[in-house]
Amino acid sequence: MLDHTAKGVYPIAPTPFDAEGRIDYASVDKMTDFYLECGSTGMTVLGVMGEAPKLDGAEALELATRFITRAKSVPVIVGVSAPGFAAMRTLARAAMDKGAAGVMIAPPNTLRTDDQIVTYYRQASEAIGEEIPFVIQDFPQTFSVVMTPNVIRRIVQDNAACVMLKHEDWPGLEKISTLRGFQADGSMKPISILCGNGGLFLDFEVERGADGAMTGYAFPDMLCDIVRLQAEGKRDEAHDLFDGHLPLLRYEQQQGPTGLAVRKYVMARRGIIASDAQRKPGAALSAKAKSEVEYLLSRVARHDPRAGKLG
Amino acid sequence: MLDHTAKGVYPIAPTPFDAEGRIDYASVDKMTDFYLECGSTGMTVLGVMGEAPKLDGAEALELATRFITRAKSVPVIVGVSAPGFAAMRTLARAAMDKGAAGVMIAPPNTLRTDDQIVTYYRQASEAIGEEIPFVIQDFPQTFSVVMTPNVIRRIVQDNAACVMLKHEDWPGLEKISTLRGFQADGSMKPISILCGNGGLFLDFEVERGADGAMTGYAFPDMLCDIVRLQAEGKRDEAHDLFDGHLPLLRYEQQQGPTGLAVRKYVMARRGIIASDAQRKPGAALSAKAKSEVEYLLSRVARHDPRAGKLG
Amino acid sequence: MLDHTAKGVYPIAPTPFDAEGRIDYASVDKMTDFYLECGSTGMTVLGVMGEAPKLDGAEALELATRFITRAKSVPVIVGVSAPGFAAMRTLARAAMDKGAAGVMIAPPNTLRTDDQIVTYYRQASEAIGEEIPFVIQDFPQTFSVVMTPNVIRRIVQDNAACVMLKHEDWPGLEKISTLRGFQADGSMKPISILCGNGGLFLDFEVERGADGAMTGYAFPDMLCDIVRLQAEGKRDEAHDLFDGHLPLLRYEQQQGPTGLAVRKYVMARRGIIASDAQRKPGAALSAKAKSEVEYLLSRVARHDPRAGKLG
Amino acid sequence: MLDHTAKGVYPIAPTPFDAEGRIDYASVDKMTDFYLECGSTGMTVLGVMGEAPKLDGAEALELATRFITRAKSVPVIVGVSAPGFAAMRTLARAAMDKGAAGVMIAPPNTLRTDDQIVTYYRQASEAIGEEIPFVIQDFPQTFSVVMTPNVIRRIVQDNAACVMLKHEDWPGLEKISTLRGFQADGSMKPISILCGNGGLFLDFEVERGADGAMTGYAFPDMLCDIVRLQAEGKRDEAHDLFDGHLPLLRYEQQQGPTGLAVRKYVMARRGIIASDAQRKPGAALSAKAKSEVEYLLSRVARHDPRAGKLG
């Protein structure tokens, strides 16, 4: 079961499809194995970038189960965001039955006031069952819901089951410092903070007190290295590696189907998944965009040989 | 099967719950019978006011089926709005299998540009199957999606299956005139236009060319009368009846759980459903609000004896 | 100077223009006189419906000054909402120098969190000068800023200069009760609450504890009657008069340029202003809409002879 | 006068303040000189990052005039976005009288439909005068207004005075390609495209056909180099330089007052302006953030000696 001591890298897993839009389970297995080999300490499935809304309920559960089974003892977090608590409860309980370690809940984009946000998480935890550990997803650029550090503290304090924050506010560095300050002054119980946003600020986020990353950059092995190097006190080395990847990482950090298309393209080029297909409605990279990605890969390869070993 | 000749009143059915939050199927039947006795020409279930997001997939289908079965030959439209096309398809196809006449689709509130809206409906129709008649729900105050008349025309022309508009833009009278003008000049195929927004402008909407109402005001019998009186050319009589109800109708037209609480309270008072309970998270009327509704009912009763015959 | 004891009716004054888009000062005077004859206890200029953004700085001040001068001892509130505090300060101080009683400040629609809203009003009061009484405008449908009762309390308690709430949340009756409860339990200092939203719920708002209306319905004389009748304990009489106007009042309550077009049309028909022209970019009523308004006026006239005495 | 042949780098100038919040005109002059020495081909003042809303009308004009005078023959674009056309017209005409080359207009964040956006720019151009060249600012993350390539084309074709696009959509590379395609197929007249977003994608934007940059990164000299190197066909060299700056550039690209605080801090460290003060309400960097910026500067200095020559 997920708890506040979680750290390291939890890749956000895309959903591999074949050209006809069917889930490619062989790639699911391969990708899961790859994550484990990388040193990932967990993984997250059915997130925003996992094309979850394109799966129906049965598919979503089957997919989550496949990840969980393959990942064995490594914790798998399942995204259960839904327009209503009934569907959220159904998926959350089924996923936990299958062995998920916890669930992730994004706020619906109609929430505005602090109280609405706090109440929403309270009701969600009640609805799914207060024994199920959950992760707050704080991603204002996509969800249009703005959570102050104080609101996050209220959610954490209100809900025993709230053990982690997926932090992807931007700018967000001071937020991490503030939240860690709340823990230090005893006003908030400890939580795990894993960072998203494609990893665009991961180099500094871990220095601010984040426990690691939860994001989908196509080189999770690099993300694991950053967390490890920083833990070992090798700051310059961490930044050197990070900076070598930043041009590509930045390119992948384009919201919506374009960013996902880049991510899947690179993962396919690395042989992690068989195809970069998105289920409809999706996006494909233009020839121009592909050549830009290839150029970036060749440049990253000068700093990180893994970017040169392509299929 | 629903087509563009639909007219009259399609009540938006609330979902009756008991005090424990279970669906009250006896009330579903009673309410359906009441709608038919009123002269309703159809009905719509699992809409915004039907607390649809609080039902899980199995419940939603079971509830829709109960309405369809009880309504016999009268067409039932099923709301299938969902965050993804997979879930939308699953519910739409299952509902049609059970005898639904068509489905209603609201736009996700992330849509902004004209092309995004038009593309969304094209993809939705493809996803559910182009043989399933569908209704556009145009409700900018709730969905934050603004459709110009031209966008509606593009959707109608792009999709053979688009047969109806649930019109609840506000202000919206000129929009109805414009759309009927498009039909008159041959640039748009005929569609049925049924109006929502609690009926707040129904008196004039039918004069502008709307085919009737699709809304949940607790006196659908009055809505049926308005449509009938206007069809018979009894304009003043229609307005007299409408104006007698307007103070209550306006009071019920409070968005979100408050408006629904008023609606269910009045329906329960009229004996149409057994209880005004909402499934959690819901809202209950304060004592003060109840006394206001009672006062309004007593005043409506001076114009319409049906408001005086309470349980 | 405006303070928390303000009550009665403060009409939101439209800006009269001639056909060429020039401010029609003769109509400004005539309208001001009319408001005073009605029994208005104050008035508000340069509000959302006053086409304020179409005036440049010099015009805005000249217009406000004309109202203030003509209104003599009756307090005039000046809308000073602006994208920045510098412009807000300039207009606020100039208007106060000319004799304004206070200013009204709407929140910019980028505010989301409770703290952002509270901080904004704190900074605004500091920027304009803490000796200038100000009014919070709480109008979520138009501004997309949602203020809980608690946020309003924080603003009131933080700012000695905050003396009034222009209440136009919807639904909003419970909000009034809650705020009056805060005063009763001593957690909030007393404020004046005047209600907007075209007056659509004024009949009950005053029963809930509001001090009156601040809105632009074209029959402010009727609004004054409602407040007076309710103060005299003549509840049924108040509702009878209100309900007689409700069909027109509801028609006028169409947001944006359409509602303003109806309002100016009726005011011109009543002889309060010379023309219903809006400065560009504006809206004009269609022939159909005009005939609907005329029909409504004729129907209101059956209950209120003032609606029959047209120019 | 600005026209569609504009290219190169137009820095977005911040407004230098002293510790008391007064405009620091000595720094304005110094900064202007610096921009010219860098090879800037123009500059833009009173933009989003120029704290324009904190200036009142007189200050804004005085500041713009100072830039224009100092910049001599180099074109200065003045941001004139305003909540209403009257204020926009006043500033635009006054700035042009003082020698501005053109104006920049951002869409108000209430616009939704394609027609609303197109109509807005048509009305704005009419309001300010059709002889004044204007720039469209396309910045959806900040303004919540989404313009498709087709909408931009409609604006360009509708308005002779529209000569430039400030492109800061994200993702945005395909948009540039599409717009250049419109020019190639003759369906859109030529426009200048300068890119914003802090320069985060400038390396590829110029390869896609953009004419350069209009953004405020604290090393405009580097931006000038990128544009020049790409024009000379030195692709790898351009990317090498860009990538060396990317860690800092990315750090500066934090929206709102934080990003501006970084920018002003670095400009002050470089001696371009005297102080990093923001006028209230503003933001200051935490000690931790300052140390991060210093670290980044030291790392950039390994690739670009200009980052090592600090005051």
Side-chain angles (χ1 to χ4, degrees):
Chain A
M1 292 280 271
L2 196 70
D3 67 28
H4 72 273
T5 64
K7 55 181 52 181
V9 175
Y10 281 56
I12 295 279
T15 301
F17 293 106
D18 65 18
E20 282 70 42
R22 288 174 303 227
I23 298 177
D24 168 9
Y25 283 107
S27 286
V28 170
D29 291 346
K30 203 168 176 186
M31 181 168 59
T32 307
D33 294 349
F34 173 78
Y35 288 154
L36 298 177
E37 289 155 21
C38 282
S40 303
T41 49
M43 68 196 67
T44 302
V45 304
L46 301 178
V48 172
M49 278 298 184
E51 299 176 68
K54 300 178 192 167
L55 308 180
D56 69 23
E59 280 182 316
L61 184 59
E62 186 182 357
L63 176 64
T65 305
R66 183 78 167 227
F67 276 110
I68 292 165
T69 307
R70 189 81 178 187
K72 298 198 185 73
S73 61
V74 166
V76 174
I77 297 173
V78 177
V80 297
S81 305
F85 291 134
M88 186 188 292
R89 174 187 166 87
T90 300
L91 179 56
R93 300 193 73 84
M96 295 303 289
D97 284 348
K98 296 294 186 185
V103 300
M104 183 160 71
I105 301 172
N109 66 4
T110 48
L111 301 180
R112 282 291 169 272
T113 72
D114 289 7
D115 289 348
Q116 285 171 345
I117 301 168
V118 171
T119 301
Y120 182 80
Y121 277 98
R122 185 79 275 277
Q123 292 173 334
S125 183
E126 269 183 45
I128 63 175
E130 305 192 31
E131 72 288 1
I132 300 182
F134 75 85
V135 182
I136 304 169
Q137 188 172 10
D138 179 21
F139 195 8
Q141 305 99 270
T142 288
F143 303 138
S144 304
V145 175
V146 183
M147 303 185 197
T148 61
N150 190 42
V151 160
I152 293 168
R153 177 168 56 183
R154 288 173 61 191
I155 298 169
V156 171
Q157 295 303 92
D158 278 9
N159 296 284
C162 180
V163 298
M164 185 186 283
L165 174 70
K166 180 176 202 288
H167 168 274
E168 34 197 346
D169 198 355
W170 182 4
L173 294 174
E174 296 301 330
K175 199 172 206 172
I176 296 171
S177 295
T178 302
L179 291 170
R180 288 308 188 206
F182 288 164
Q183 289 184 208
D185 69 20
S187 65
M188 188 178 82
K189 65 179 162 69
I191 54 167
S192 171
I193 301 180
L194 299 184
C195 299
N197 248 330
L200 198 60
F201 286 86
L202 183 63
D203 48 344
F204 289 109
E205 285 163 340
V206 290
E207 298 181 7
R208 292 288 188 124
D211 295 299
M214 186 192 288
T215 195
Y217 180 52
F219 286 81
D221 27 3
M222 186 279 283
L223 302 176
C224 290
D225 291 344
I226 299 295
V227 175
R228 180 180 49 75
L229 288 166
Q230 288 278 17
E232 294 169 3
K234 298 177 177 161
R235 186 190 198 194
D236 290 344
E237 217 174 307
H239 281 275
D240 287 344
L241 177 60
F242 182 85
D243 291 355
H245 275 267
L246 187 52
L248 175 61
L249 191 152
R250 169 272 329 236
Y251 194 95
E252 193 184 295
Q253 181 51 14
Q254 302 185 54
Q255 283 203 22
T258 303
L260 178 60
V262 176
R263 180 169 295 169
K264 283 191 154 183
Y265 179 83
V266 177
M267 292 181 82
R269 288 285 280 122
R270 297 189 72 191
I272 305 168
I273 57 177
S275 157
D276 65 350
Q278 295 184 27
R279 184 175 274 191
K280 288 201 301 180
L285 292 184
S286 67
K288 185 79 182 156
K290 283 182 191 172
S291 74
E292 290 164 345
V293 174
E294 292 291 339
Y295 180 66
L296 287 166
L297 281 167
S298 72
R299 292 177 61 83
V300 173
R302 300 175 313 168
H303 305 279
D304 185 340
R306 291 172 293 204
K309 287 186 203 132
L310 303 174
Chain B
M1 294 280 271
L2 195 70
D3 68 28
H4 73 273
T5 64
K7 55 181 53 181
V9 176
Y10 282 56
I12 294 281
T15 301
F17 293 105
D18 66 19
E20 281 70 42
R22 286 175 304 228
I23 296 177
D24 169 8
Y25 283 107
S27 285
V28 170
D29 291 346
K30 204 169 175 184
M31 182 168 59
T32 306
D33 294 348
F34 173 77
Y35 287 154
L36 298 177
E37 287 156 21
C38 281
S40 303
T41 48
M43 68 194 69
T44 302
V45 303
L46 302 179
V48 172
M49 278 298 183
E51 300 177 67
K54 301 178 193 169
L55 309 180
D56 68 24
E59 281 182 315
L61 183 60
E62 186 182 355
L63 176 64
T65 305
R66 184 76 166 226
F67 275 110
I68 291 164
T69 307
R70 190 80 179 187
K72 297 197 184 76
S73 61
V74 166
V76 175
I77 297 172
V78 178
V80 296
S81 306
F85 291 134
M88 185 186 294
R89 174 188 167 86
T90 301
L91 180 55
R93 300 193 72 85
M96 294 302 290
D97 284 348
K98 295 296 186 183
V103 300
M104 183 160 70
I105 301 171
N109 65 5
T110 48
L111 301 181
R112 281 292 168 271
T113 71
D114 290 6
D115 289 348
Q116 285 172 345
I117 301 167
V118 170
T119 300
Y120 182 80
Y121 276 98
R122 184 80 274 276
Q123 292 173 333
S125 182
E126 269 183 44
I128 63 175
E130 304 192 33
E131 73 287 2
I132 300 182
F134 75 86
V135 181
I136 304 169
Q137 188 172 9
D138 180 22
F139 195 9
Q141 304 100 272
T142 289
F143 303 137
S144 304
V145 176
V146 183
M147 302 186 198
T148 61
N150 189 42
V151 160
I152 293 169
R153 176 167 55 182
R154 286 173 61 191
I155 298 169
V156 171
Q157 296 303 92
D158 277 9
N159 296 284
C162 180
V163 297
M164 185 187 283
L165 175 70
K166 181 176 200 292
H167 168 273
E168 34 196 346
D169 198 355
W170 183 4
L173 294 174
E174 297 301 331
K175 200 173 206 171
I176 297 172
S177 296
T178 302
L179 291 171
R180 288 309 188 208
F182 288 164
Q183 288 183 211
D185 70 20
S187 65
M188 188 178 83
K189 66 180 162 68
I191 54 168
S192 171
I193 301 179
L194 299 184
C195 299
N197 248 327
L200 199 59
F201 286 86
L202 183 63
D203 49 343
F204 289 109
E205 286 163 340
V206 289
E207 299 181 7
R208 291 290 188 122
D211 295 299
M214 185 192 291
T215 195
Y217 180 52
F219 286 81
D221 27 3
M222 186 279 283
L223 301 177
C224 290
D225 291 345
I226 299 295
V227 175
R228 180 182 47 77
L229 287 167
Q230 288 278 17
E232 294 169 3
K234 297 176 178 164
R235 185 189 198 195
D236 289 345
E237 218 174 307
H239 279 275
D240 287 345
L241 177 60
F242 182 85
D243 290 356
H245 275 267
L246 186 52
L248 175 60
L249 191 152
R250 167 272 332 233
Y251 194 95
E252 195 183 294
Q253 179 53 10
Q254 302 185 55
Q255 284 203 21
T258 304
L260 178 60
V262 177
R263 181 169 294 171
K264 283 190 155 184
Y265 178 84
V266 177
M267 292 181 83
R269 287 287 279 121
R270 296 190 73 190
I272 304 168
I273 57 178
S275 158
D276 66 350
Q278 295 184 26
R279 183 175 275 191
K280 288 200 302 179
L285 292 185
S286 67
K288 186 77 181 158
K290 282 182 190 170
S291 74
E292 290 165 345
V293 174
E294 292 291 339
Y295 180 66
L296 286 166
L297 280 167
S298 71
R299 291 177 61 83
V300 173
R302 300 176 312 169
H303 304 279
D304 185 341
R306 291 172 292 205
K309 288 185 202 134
L310 303 173
Chain C
M1 292 279 271
L2 195 70
D3 67 28
H4 73 272
T5 64
K7 55 182 51 179
V9 175
Y10 281 57
I12 294 280
T15 301
F17 294 105
D18 65 19
E20 280 70 42
R22 288 175 302 229
I23 297 177
D24 169 7
Y25 283 107
S27 284
V28 169
D29 291 346
K30 204 168 177 186
M31 181 168 59
T32 306
D33 294 347
F34 173 78
Y35 288 154
L36 299 177
E37 288 156 21
C38 281
S40 303
T41 49
M43 69 195 67
T44 301
V45 304
L46 301 179
V48 172
M49 278 299 183
E51 299 176 68
K54 300 178 193 168
L55 309 179
D56 68 23
E59 280 182 315
L61 184 59
E62 186 181 357
L63 176 65
T65 305
R66 183 78 167 226
F67 275 109
I68 292 164
T69 306
R70 189 80 179 188
K72 298 198 185 73
S73 61
V74 165
V76 174
I77 297 172
V78 177
V80 298
S81 306
F85 291 135
M88 186 188 291
R89 174 186 166 87
T90 300
L91 179 55
R93 299 193 73 85
M96 294 304 288
D97 284 348
K98 297 294 186 184
V103 300
M104 183 161 71
I105 301 172
N109 65 5
T110 48
L111 302 180
R112 282 291 170 271
T113 72
D114 289 7
D115 289 349
Q116 285 171 345
I117 301 168
V118 170
T119 300
Y120 182 81
Y121 277 98
R122 185 78 276 275
Q123 291 172 335
S125 183
E126 269 184 45
I128 63 175
E130 305 192 32
E131 72 287 1
I132 299 182
F134 75 85
V135 182
I136 304 170
Q137 188 171 8
D138 179 22
F139 194 9
Q141 305 98 272
T142 288
F143 303 137
S144 304
V145 176
V146 183
M147 303 186 197
T148 61
N150 189 42
V151 160
I152 293 168
R153 176 167 57 182
R154 287 173 62 190
I155 298 169
V156 171
Q157 295 304 92
D158 277 9
N159 297 284
C162 180
V163 297
M164 185 186 282
L165 174 70
K166 180 177 203 289
H167 168 274
E168 34 197 346
D169 198 355
W170 183 5
L173 295 173
E174 296 301 330
K175 198 172 207 172
I176 297 171
S177 296
T178 302
L179 291 170
R180 289 309 188 206
F182 288 164
Q183 289 183 208
D185 70 20
S187 66
M188 187 179 83
K189 65 179 162 69
I191 54 168
S192 171
I193 300 179
L194 299 184
C195 299
N197 247 330
L200 199 60
F201 287 86
L202 184 62
D203 48 344
F204 289 109
E205 285 163 341
V206 290
E207 298 181 8
R208 292 289 188 124
D211 296 299
M214 185 192 290
T215 196
Y217 180 52
F219 286 82
D221 27 3
M222 186 279 283
L223 302 176
C224 290
D225 292 344
I226 298 296
V227 174
R228 180 180 48 76
L229 288 166
Q230 288 278 16
E232 294 169 3
K234 298 177 178 163
R235 186 190 199 194
D236 289 345
E237 218 174 306
H239 281 275
D240 287 344
L241 177 60
F242 182 85
D243 291 355
H245 275 268
L246 187 51
L248 175 61
L249 191 152
R250 169 270 332 233
Y251 194 95
E252 194 183 295
Q253 181 52 12
Q254 302 186 54
Q255 283 203 22
T258 304
L260 178 60
V262 176
R263 180 169 294 169
K264 284 192 152 183
Y265 179 84
V266 176
M267 292 182 82
R269 287 287 279 123
R270 297 190 72 191
I272 304 169
I273 57 177
S275 158
D276 66 350
Q278 295 184 27
R279 184 175 274 190
K280 288 200 302 179
L285 291 185
S286 67
K288 185 78 182 156
K290 283 182 190 170
S291 75
E292 289 164 345
V293 174
E294 292 292 339
Y295 181 66
L296 286 166
L297 281 166
S298 72
R299 291 177 61 83
V300 173
R302 299 175 313 167
H303 304 278
D304 185 341
R306 291 173 293 204
K309 288 186 202 133
L310 303 173
Chain D
M1 295 279 272
L2 194 70
D3 67 29
H4 73 274
T5 64
K7 54 181 53 180
V9 176
Y10 281 57
I12 294 280
T15 300
F17 294 105
D18 66 19
E20 282 69 43
R22 286 175 304 229
I23 296 177
D24 169 8
Y25 283 107
S27 285
V28 170
D29 291 346
K30 204 169 175 184
M31 182 168 59
T32 307
D33 295 348
F34 173 77
Y35 287 154
L36 298 177
E37 288 156 20
C38 281
S40 303
T41 47
M43 68 194 68
T44 301
V45 303
L46 302 178
V48 172
M49 278 298 182
E51 299 176 68
K54 300 178 192 168
L55 309 180
D56 69 23
E59 280 182 316
L61 184 59
E62 187 183 355
L63 176 65
T65 305
R66 184 77 166 227
F67 276 110
I68 292 165
T69 307
R70 190 80 178 187
K72 298 198 185 77
S73 60
V74 166
V76 175
I77 297 172
V78 177
V80 297
S81 306
F85 291 134
M88 185 187 292
R89 174 187 167 87
T90 300
L91 179 55
R93 299 194 72 85
M96 294 303 289
D97 284 348
K98 296 295 186 183
V103 300
M104 183 160 71
I105 301 172
N109 64 6
T110 48
L111 301 181
R112 282 291 169 272
T113 70
D114 289 6
D115 289 348
Q116 285 171 346
I117 300 168
V118 170
T119 300
Y120 183 80
Y121 277 98
R122 183 80 275 276
Q123 291 173 334
S125 183
E126 269 183 43
I128 63 175
E130 304 193 33
E131 72 287 2
I132 300 181
F134 75 86
V135 181
I136 304 169
Q137 188 171 10
D138 179 22
F139 195 8
Q141 304 99 272
T142 288
F143 302 137
S144 304
V145 175
V146 183
M147 303 186 198
T148 61
N150 190 41
V151 160
I152 293 169
R153 177 168 55 183
R154 286 173 60 190
I155 297 169
V156 171
Q157 296 303 92
D158 277 9
N159 297 283
C162 180
V163 297
M164 186 186 282
L165 174 71
K166 181 175 200 291
H167 168 273
E168 33 196 347
D169 198 355
W170 183 4
L173 294 174
E174 297 300 331
K175 200 173 205 170
I176 297 171
S177 296
T178 302
L179 291 170
R180 288 309 188 208
F182 288 164
Q183 289 183 210
D185 70 21
S187 65
M188 188 178 83
K189 65 180 162 68
I191 54 168
S192 170
I193 300 179
L194 298 184
C195 298
N197 249 327
L200 199 59
F201 286 88
L202 183 63
D203 48 344
F204 289 109
E205 286 163 341
V206 289
E207 298 182 6
R208 291 290 188 123
D211 295 299
M214 184 192 290
T215 194
Y217 180 53
F219 286 82
D221 27 3
M222 185 279 283
L223 301 177
C224 291
D225 291 344
I226 299 296
V227 174
R228 181 181 47 76
L229 288 167
Q230 288 279 16
E232 294 169 2
K234 297 175 178 165
R235 186 189 197 194
D236 289 344
E237 217 174 308
H239 281 275
D240 286 345
L241 178 60
F242 182 85
D243 290 355
H245 275 267
L246 186 52
L248 175 61
L249 190 153
R250 168 271 332 233
Y251 194 95
E252 195 183 294
Q253 179 54 9
Q254 301 185 55
Q255 283 203 21
T258 304
L260 179 60
V262 177
R263 181 169 293 171
K264 283 190 155 185
Y265 179 84
V266 177
M267 291 181 83
R269 288 286 279 121
R270 297 190 72 191
I272 304 169
I273 58 178
S275 158
D276 65 350
Q278 295 184 27
R279 184 175 274 190
K280 287 200 303 180
L285 292 185
S286 68
K288 185 79 183 156
K290 282 182 190 171
S291 75
E292 289 165 345
V293 174
E294 292 292 339
Y295 181 66
L296 286 167
L297 281 166
S298 72
R299 292 178 61 82
V300 173
R302 299 176 312 168
H303 304 280
D304 184 342
R306 292 173 291 205
K309 289 184 202 135
L310 303 174

